[in-house]
Amino acid sequence: MVDISFRLKQIERYVERGEYLAINRARQYGKTTTLRALKAYLKDKYYIISMDFQTQMSHAKFVNENTFSVAFAKAFIRILEKMDTTFPEKMREAVKELERAVRESRQELELVELFQYLSDICGAADKPLVLLIDEVDSASNNQVFLDFLAQLRGYYIDRDNTPSFQSVILAGVYDIRNLKRKFRPEEDHKMNSPWNIAVEFKEDMSFSEREIAGMLEDYEKEHITGMDVKQISELIYEYTSGYPFLVSRLCKLIDEEVTGSEEFPEAKRAWTSAGFLEANRMLLGEKNTLFESMVNRLYDYAELKEMIYSILFVGREITYNALNQAINIAQMLGFVKNENGVAIIANRIFETVFYNFFLSSAENQNTDIYKAAIQDKNQFIFAGRLNMDLLLERFAVHFNDLYGDLPDKFKEEDGRRYFLLYLKPIINGTGNYYVEARTRNMERTDVIVDYRGEQMVIEMKIWRGNAYKERGERQLADYLEHYHLKKGYMLSFNFNKKKEIGVKRIILGDKVLIEAVV
């Protein structure tokens, strides 16, 4: 596990200052793990009341104030009973009063009364109480929940005079600070969220390259694989940008699935760049709750789906604006991040998940170029290696046959999409690909193909004349140097009617470039 003690110290400062806050991060981003670790970290200084609304408070518990208050009080008392500690007499009496109210409750225990009892317990305690609630947004569209937040807010404002929780931390995907509260149930008119007293939680919960390296160093001490910790931690971060679930899942796959396989029989062979790429292929091929959730959100938000498509296939640079609904939703879900004022896909693995989603649509798989790839796919593999020269040559033939006479009806972004449609079924199941975010724009996209540990770089360009072409060749040569490769590929989409189509070989210093013009 990654050492998150530094992050816990950061959160402790909020608690010490008596802050109320919401931790909003994407699914499987380590929120639950952090809250559990925080509970253990703070238990000597505080009484930690740690709840999970998804498992402890079903939808039926929000039917009215009385039902909710009784359910909350029971969970609260149960948590105190499980603490291995002796409470002071006054605190025990205050808890008994709450127990009595629960036993005798019919319709009498509502939120106002509940919080009076909770305040009495906080006032009688010998240590401050901290309330942690996970999966809090599972009830966020419920009026009773909004009224619960309003009570927390009221006691927060009046805590100089009335005992209350030292700190309240609510964790979930959606930002409950943006929830609205009705004046009366029958009204549509709304006012600001009752949770507007919460401070903004800005702490980075992703794993840094250094934190990943620390985890691998601990693993290496126990397993002695001989791995290059620096290389593997850099690879993991390069593909995941530190997204906690992706980091953990890749490591788990290398440890449990790649190690011992036919190609990687020993751990020392699995914990290499080739073993990592195999784990990445496995990850992208599996069905997990995170990837399913990502795809479902694209169906839920048409504007979000359109924005992701534009970034991936058109190369459109979208200025980051937190007030833009699609960008706000995408960032909340962890799909994009703000990099130098531009909204970009959050990590390389998410990019590939989205590419695979769009390319697997019935509309795309019914295209002639995809059907051609299905027919051709068995002719490109020789002795376990992918013949990219032949693949590019065959794509050029098919593309010109199918689309060469349709320049007016053809969109520039379709060229990139069609190449990926041709590539994907050929390498599917054995290889993988990703698009290099640093080079993707309206005019240029670099695709890196990983096939059985061998990497190939294909630069896709929109034709802008010979001078632009020569500059592109030099850029590709420099890029090959970065990847320690001697050979690269260029695919130029030329919409000039006088274009010279075909495939040729270019020598540039010690680099060999295979260029196809379509």
Side-chain angles (χ1 to χ4, degrees):
M1 291 185 64
V2 169
D3 180 8
I4 61 171
S5 57
F6 175 72
R7 195 163 296 119
L8 298 179
K9 290 178 182 177
Q10 292 176 310
I11 300 176
E12 183 183 22
R13 296 192 188 103
Y14 289 90
V15 175
E16 289 174 344
R17 294 194 300 264
E19 306 282 15
Y20 283 28
L21 66 146
I23 298 178
N24 306 113
R25 295 295 184 275
R27 296 201 180 281
Q28 295 182 291
Y29 213 91
K31 298 183 297 294
T32 299
T33 301
T34 299
L35 289 186
R36 288 178 178 175
L38 187 65
K39 176 183 176 181
Y41 187 78
L42 297 176
K43 67 179 182 179
D44 293 335
K45 292 183 180 180
Y46 307 96
Y47 290 125
I48 308 299
I49 310 299
S50 181
M51 296 185 176
D52 185 325
F53 268 11
Q54 195 168 64
T55 59
Q56 293 176 296
M57 304 289 288
S58 66
H59 181 73
K61 302 302 182 185
F62 293 86
V63 65
N64 57 50
E65 283 192 29
N66 177 255
T67 303
F68 173 85
S69 298
V70 170
F72 186 92
K74 286 180 177 179
F76 188 93
I77 292 167
R78 193 177 302 113
I79 291 167
L80 290 176
E81 288 175 344
K82 290 182 178 180
M83 290 184 184
D84 185 19
T85 187
T86 302
F87 301 118
E89 181 63 26
K90 285 186 177 181
M91 185 177 176
R92 290 203 303 271
E93 287 299 321
V95 174
K96 287 180 181 178
E97 287 297 319
L98 178 58
E99 290 177 328
R100 189 177 301 112
V102 170
R103 285 196 307 271
E104 297 174 356
S105 172
R106 294 295 181 268
Q107 299 296 325
E108 295 81 7
L109 186 62
E110 295 185 340
L111 285 169
V112 171
E113 290 77 24
L114 170 66
F115 272 83
Q116 289 172 352
Y117 287 114
L118 295 177
S119 177
D120 291 342
I121 294 171
C122 290
D126 56 330
K127 293 192 298 187
L129 275 72
V130 175
L131 177 62
L132 311 178
I133 303 180
D134 197 10
E135 301 291 351
V136 71
D137 50 358
S138 61
S140 61
N141 63 343
N142 192 289
Q143 186 63 44
V144 173
F145 172 69
L146 297 176
D147 293 336
F148 169 72
L149 292 183
Q151 287 293 324
L152 284 173
R153 178 182 184 274
Y155 275 82
Y156 171 85
I157 293 173
D158 195 44
R159 59 187 175 166
D160 289 342
N161 302 311
T162 308
S164 186
F165 297 106
Q166 165 73 15
S167 179
V168 177
I169 301 177
L170 308 181
V173 174
Y174 297 91
D175 189 351
I176 60 173
R177 292 178 305 158
N178 295 327
L179 292 176
K180 305 299 181 184
R181 183 173 184 266
K182 296 181 181 181
F183 282 111
R184 289 189 295 272
E186 68 274 10
E187 291 183 334
D188 291 329
H189 185 62
K190 299 179 181 181
M191 63 187 216
N192 289 334
S193 166
W195 200 239
N196 57 8
I197 46 91
V199 297
E200 188 173 1
F201 181 74
K202 295 183 177 180
E203 310 303 333
D204 187 2
M205 290 180 63
S206 64
F207 297 151
S208 67
E209 192 176 303
R210 182 178 178 180
E211 288 174 320
I212 296 170
M215 174 186 65
L216 294 180
E217 286 167 358
D218 289 343
Y219 178 90
E220 182 63 14
K221 289 175 185 176
E222 184 177 344
H223 296 272
I224 314 175
T225 68
M227 79 167 84
D228 184 334
V229 170
K230 185 175 185 297
Q231 179 196 39
I232 300 301
S233 60
E234 286 176 351
L235 269 175
I236 292 174
Y237 187 80
E238 187 176 355
Y239 277 70
T240 67
S241 295
Y243 197 107
F245 169 78
L246 299 178
V247 172
S248 298
R249 186 63 184 147
L250 284 168
C251 291
K252 184 177 176 67
L253 285 169
I254 296 174
D255 178 64
E256 298 181 3
E257 303 292 336
V258 178
T259 301
S261 64
E262 183 177 351
E263 193 170 351
F264 303 92
E266 300 173 343
K268 66 179 181 180
R269 293 180 61 181
W271 287 97
T272 60
S273 58
F276 168 82
L277 293 175
E278 175 63 12
N280 183 58
R281 184 192 66 80
M282 290 179 175
L283 173 60
L284 289 166
E286 71 182 16
K287 183 179 181 181
N288 59 55
T289 55
L290 176 60
F291 293 169
E292 284 184 316
S293 175
M294 291 169 60
V295 170
N296 289 337
R297 296 295 81 77
L298 294 184
Y299 287 120
D300 292 341
Y301 303 104
E303 190 177 355
L304 172 65
K305 182 178 178 181
E306 181 182 351
M307 183 185 75
I308 297 296
Y309 182 91
S310 295
I311 293 174
L312 296 180
F313 289 97
V314 184
R316 183 171 298 154
E317 186 173 283
I318 298 178
T319 302
Y320 180 85
N321 180 358
L323 297 179
N324 179 287
Q325 185 179 9
I327 293 175
N328 185 42
I329 292 171
Q331 186 177 43
M332 179 182 65
L333 296 173
F335 294 177
V336 303
K337 59 184 178 182
N338 179 7
E339 186 169 284
N340 300 321
V342 176
I344 67 169
I345 307 300
N347 59 68
R348 186 174 290 174
I349 291 175
F350 279 12
E351 279 197 343
T352 308
V353 170
F354 288 134
Y355 271 116
N356 289 343
F357 165 74
F358 286 112
L359 294 174
S360 64
S361 70
E363 178 185 0
N364 279 320
Q365 295 197 4
N366 198 38
T367 59
D368 291 332
I369 198 73
Y370 184 86
K371 293 175 182 177
I374 296 296
Q375 294 175 351
D376 289 352
K377 67 178 184 178
N378 293 326
Q379 62 183 280
F380 301 114
I381 311 302
F382 299 92
R385 298 185 64 189
L386 175 65
N387 187 334
M388 184 57 71
D389 296 47
L390 181 59
L391 189 153
L392 206 61
E393 182 180 323
R394 292 295 299 159
F395 171 77
V397 170
H398 288 304
F399 189 90
N400 287 311
D401 287 346
L402 294 170
Y403 311 112
D405 295 330
L406 300 174
D408 296 331
K409 298 180 181 180
F410 197 83
K411 298 178 183 178
E412 292 184 348
E413 62 263 25
D414 283 341
R416 296 162 172 168
R417 178 167 62 92
Y418 284 164
F419 177 71
L420 294 177
L421 276 171
Y422 188 77
L423 173 70
K424 191 174 184 301
I426 293 170
I427 65 172
N428 195 38
T430 305
N432 207 0
Y433 71 93
Y434 67 86
V435 174
E436 178 51 68
R438 290 173 294 180
T439 64
R440 183 185 53 228
N441 55 44
M442 297 287 284
E443 296 180 339
R444 175 186 176 195
T445 297
D446 289 343
V447 177
I448 289 79
V449 175
D450 297 321
Y451 194 88
R452 299 181 68 89
E454 183 179 5
Q455 289 192 310
M456 287 153 274
V457 178
I458 305 101
E459 180 182 291
M460 294 185 288
K461 284 181 156 314
I462 305 301
W463 181 272
R464 294 288 185 264
N466 286 325
Y468 183 81
K469 168 183 168 294
E470 292 172 2
R471 186 168 69 250
E473 291 172 355
R474 292 193 297 271
Q475 288 174 340
L476 178 56
D478 292 340
Y479 201 48
L480 293 175
E481 192 69 27
H482 171 75
Y483 273 85
H484 308 292
L485 297 172
K486 296 294 185 183
K487 188 176 186 180
Y489 302 87
M490 295 183 69
L491 177 57
S492 298
F493 296 95
N494 190 336
F495 300 96
N496 188 327
K497 292 183 179 180
K498 297 180 179 180
K499 62 189 174 186
E500 295 181 9
I501 62 175
V503 178
K504 59 182 177 180
R505 185 183 183 94
I506 302 169
I507 305 298
L508 198 64
D510 63 342
K511 310 298 183 189
V512 176
L513 308 181
I514 305 299
E515 180 178 17
V517 177
V518 297

